[in-house]
Structures are given as structure tokens and as C-alpha cells.
């Protein structure tokens, strides 16, 4: 497969990067320049607003006919070729899917604190002298950075989908790994005709988890698959069922364990089977 060809005798497989390249020190914090040099045939720079660019890796299907294309959004702090995202891409390509992978830059510590906050501003006391209100004021100050962070990631996914459309691929599913699951929901919710959603070991922010049923209830997502070993998956299935969100499937994989790149083959097999025509 030409996309796996490597310079200077590299392995040619996504997900098999030298340890030092997983989180390089560049402006994005994801080692994009080094990654583009490591995978020159797969590197795809996507143009964003304001002259910015982000690096995706595009892997064409290994055989014909192609079964469609998938976008994989890596877990927080991982680039487009590292961790489970890279290993999963390799295995899905072998199953005749084209795959475009995107990294997910971690938020700054102050923003991460806000994202982890479970209580929304609307639930706070209106008493301006209380510590609660001080927290609300603080959250309002950082709302703009949070919105900018989320909008930037959404823009990257949209740019990736546009690139696949330009190459005449049908986008059949969007995969979010870990924290990436938060953002693929936002992407799908904004589409009139959404592809399938797949969450791999999802790690939702508290506010996103609380609004999940409401958001999906208004979206046009045809099917949702969750692959995880967490008890939260079963609870999520019950919650979405009560909200009458249709098409949700939960598959328990390796109860109580975190996924690693070595799980890429097994997870790809689950995804491939689930995406077979019904």
C-alpha cells in the first residue's frame, strides 16, 4: 500500500512511531511536523480559518471495492498516528476502509479544569456575594476559550470530511477515542444527514455526558456504537433508551481495562462487523 511507504526504511504502519515523536514540541503540541516527515505519503495538511493548518493522515483502502471512509479522532494528547488511533487505522484499512485520522490537542490546564466542571452556571445561586457566584463569574470568563477550543476541533473534523468528499469517498462513520468522543458528537449533531457514530472507550466531560441524550435526540445519527469495558456504557445505554434515542449499541470489551494499540485488531474487527450492511 503506497500510503504506508516510509522513508529511510521505516516500518510503514500507522501507530508505530518512535516514542519521541508521539508528543513533539511544536506549536500544536502534537509533533505534527515530525509526523509529516515520518509518514510523507499519508500526511495531509488541512486548511483552516485564519491561515491555520492541521495535519491529518489519510490511508486509502487496501482493496477494492472500498467499503467507504471513516474519520478517527484520537484521544486527548495523541497525534494522528500515535496510540490506538494509528493501530486502528491500519487494521481498518486492511478491511477495505479508507481512513483519515486526526490528533486531539490537550486543553490548557485552566481550560481543562473548566471542562471537567460538572455544574453549569445556570445551576448556581444568583447571590453575587457567595463563593458559588464567584465560580460562575470565573467560568464565564473562560467560556470563550472553551468555545474556541471546541470550535477549533470541530473545524478540523469538518475539514477532514470535506477532504474525503473531494476524493469521492462516502463517509460512513466517525470514530472518537477517549476524549475524542465528546467532539464527534458535536460534529454529528450539526449535520442534516449524519454518518454513524462510534465511541471507543469514551470519556465524556461531565456537562457533555449530562446533555448527551438531549443532543442525540435532536440529531439525525442513524446508529451509534460504543466499545468499552466501563460500567458507564451500560448506564449510558439505559439513559439513551429512556430518552428514546434509537440505534444505540453497546459492546463490552475487556471489562475494567484501558485499550492500547495492541487492541487495534480486535476493535477494528468489531467496527467492521458492525458496519456491514443491515
Amino acid at each position: 500500500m503506497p500510503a504506508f511507504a516510509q522513508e529511510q526504511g521505516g516500518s510503514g504502519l500507522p501507530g508505530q512511531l518512535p516514542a519521541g515523536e508521539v508528543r513533539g514540541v511544536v506549536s500544536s503540541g502534537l509533533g505534527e511536523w515530525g509526523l509529516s516527515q515520518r509518514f510523507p505519503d499519508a500526511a495531509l495538511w488541512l486548511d483552516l480559518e485564519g491561515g491555520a493548518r492541521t495535519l491529518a493522515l489519510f490511508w486509502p483502502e487496501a482493496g477494492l471495492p472500498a467499503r467507504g471512509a471513516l474519520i478517527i479522532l484520537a484521544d486527548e494528547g495523541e497525534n494522528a498516528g500515535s496510540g490506538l488511533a494509528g493501530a486502528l487505522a491500519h487494521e481498518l484499512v486492511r478491511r477495505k476502509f479508507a481512513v483519515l485520522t486526526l490528533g486531539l490537542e490537550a486543553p490548557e490546564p485552566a481550560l481543562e479544569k473548566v471542562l471537567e466542571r460538572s455544574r453549569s452556571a445556570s445551576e448556581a445561586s444568583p447571590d453575587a456575594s457567595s463563593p458559588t457566584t464567584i465560580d460562575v463569574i470565573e467560568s464565564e470568563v473562560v467560556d470563550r476559550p472553551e468555545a474556541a477550543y471546541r470550535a477549533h476541533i470541530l473545524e478540523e473534523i469538518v475539514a477532514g470530511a470535506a477532504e474525503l468528499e473531494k476524493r469521492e469517498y462516502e463517509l460512513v462513520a466517525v470514530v472518537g477515542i477517549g476524549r475524542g468522543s465528546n467532539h464527534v458528537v458535536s460534529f454529528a449533531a450539526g449535520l442534516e444527514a449524519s454518518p454513524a457514530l462510534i465511541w471507543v472507550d469514551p470519556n465524556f466531560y461531565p456537562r457533555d455526558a449530562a446533555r448527551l441524550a438531549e443532543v442525540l435526540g435532536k440529531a439525525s445519527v442513524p446508529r451509534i456504537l460504543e466499545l468499552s469495558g466501563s460500567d458507564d456504557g451500560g448506564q449510558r445505554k439505559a439513559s439513551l433508551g429512556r430518552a428514546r434515542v434509537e440505534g444505540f449499541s453497546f459492546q463490552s470489551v475487556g471489562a475494567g481495562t484501558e485499550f492500547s494499540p495492541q487492541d487495534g485488531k480486535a476493535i477494528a474487527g468489531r467496527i467492521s462487523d458492525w458496519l456491514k450492511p443491515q
Side-chain angles (χ1 to χ4, degrees):
M1 292 172 283
F4 293 156
Q6 294 297 299
E7 60 180 359
Q8 298 178 357
S11 65
L13 300 179
Q16 296 184 353
L17 300 178
E21 287 191 21
V22 171
R23 301 189 186 188
V25 184
V26 295
S27 59
S28 70
L30 295 178
E32 289 186 331
W33 177 250
L35 188 62
S36 69
Q37 299 300 301
R38 185 63 176 163
F39 294 103
D41 295 324
L44 183 63
W45 290 99
L46 304 177
D47 293 324
L48 308 177
E49 292 184 2
R53 295 194 306 169
T54 192
L55 180 69
L57 295 180
F58 173 70
W59 313 99
E61 67 281 3
L64 296 175
R67 297 176 60 188
L70 294 89
I71 293 176
I72 299 177
L73 181 61
D75 198 0
E76 188 176 272
E78 298 285 354
N79 64 36
S82 64
L84 182 57
L88 188 55
H90 171 55
E91 294 295 338
L92 287 168
V93 163
R94 295 179 60 175
R95 288 164 173 79
K96 298 185 180 181
F97 290 102
V99 181
L100 185 144
T101 58
L102 291 164
L104 179 57
E105 186 172 1
E108 295 294 329
L111 178 54
E112 183 177 13
K113 181 180 177 181
V114 173
L115 290 166
E116 292 286 3
R117 187 174 296 165
S118 59
R119 178 181 46 77
S120 67
S122 62
E123 297 170 325
S125 165
D127 180 2
S129 63
S130 69
T132 300
T133 303
I134 294 174
D135 287 343
V136 174
I137 295 173
E138 179 185 346
S139 70
E140 290 175 346
V141 171
V142 293
D143 274 348
R144 288 189 295 274
E146 178 184 352
Y149 174 71
R150 290 179 181 269
H152 176 73
I153 296 166
L154 181 59
E155 186 185 3
E156 292 180 321
I157 303 174
V158 170
E163 184 63 35
L164 292 175
E165 183 178 1
K166 187 189 305 181
R167 294 168 183 256
E168 299 184 347
Y169 282 104
E170 178 190 3
L171 179 60
V172 296
V174 182
V175 183
I177 301 174
R179 287 295 194 196
S181 299
N182 294 276
H183 305 288
V184 297
V185 171
S186 299
F187 170 72
L191 300 177
E192 292 184 4
S194 170
L197 276 184
I198 299 172
W199 304 328
V200 178
D201 199 19
N203 187 3
F204 291 103
Y205 295 119
R207 281 180 290 166
D208 290 46
R211 297 182 60 245
L212 193 59
E214 176 188 354
V215 172
L216 291 173
K218 297 177 181 178
S220 58
V221 181
R223 291 197 294 163
I224 306 169
L225 172 65
E226 175 173 337
L227 297 169
S228 75
S230 169
D231 293 337
D232 291 344
Q235 297 173 9
R236 206 159 13 249
K237 181 178 181 179
S239 174
L240 294 177
R242 289 192 296 270
R244 299 184 179 180
V245 175
E246 299 180 355
F248 179 76
S249 301
F250 169 66
Q251 296 184 21
S252 180
V253 183
T257 61
E258 294 185 1
F259 296 150
S260 69
Q262 286 69 36
D263 298 308
K265 184 174 182 179
I267 295 172
R270 298 276 191 122
I271 292 174
S272 178
D273 289 343
W274 185 75
L275 287 174
K276 287 180 179 178
Q278 295 179 317

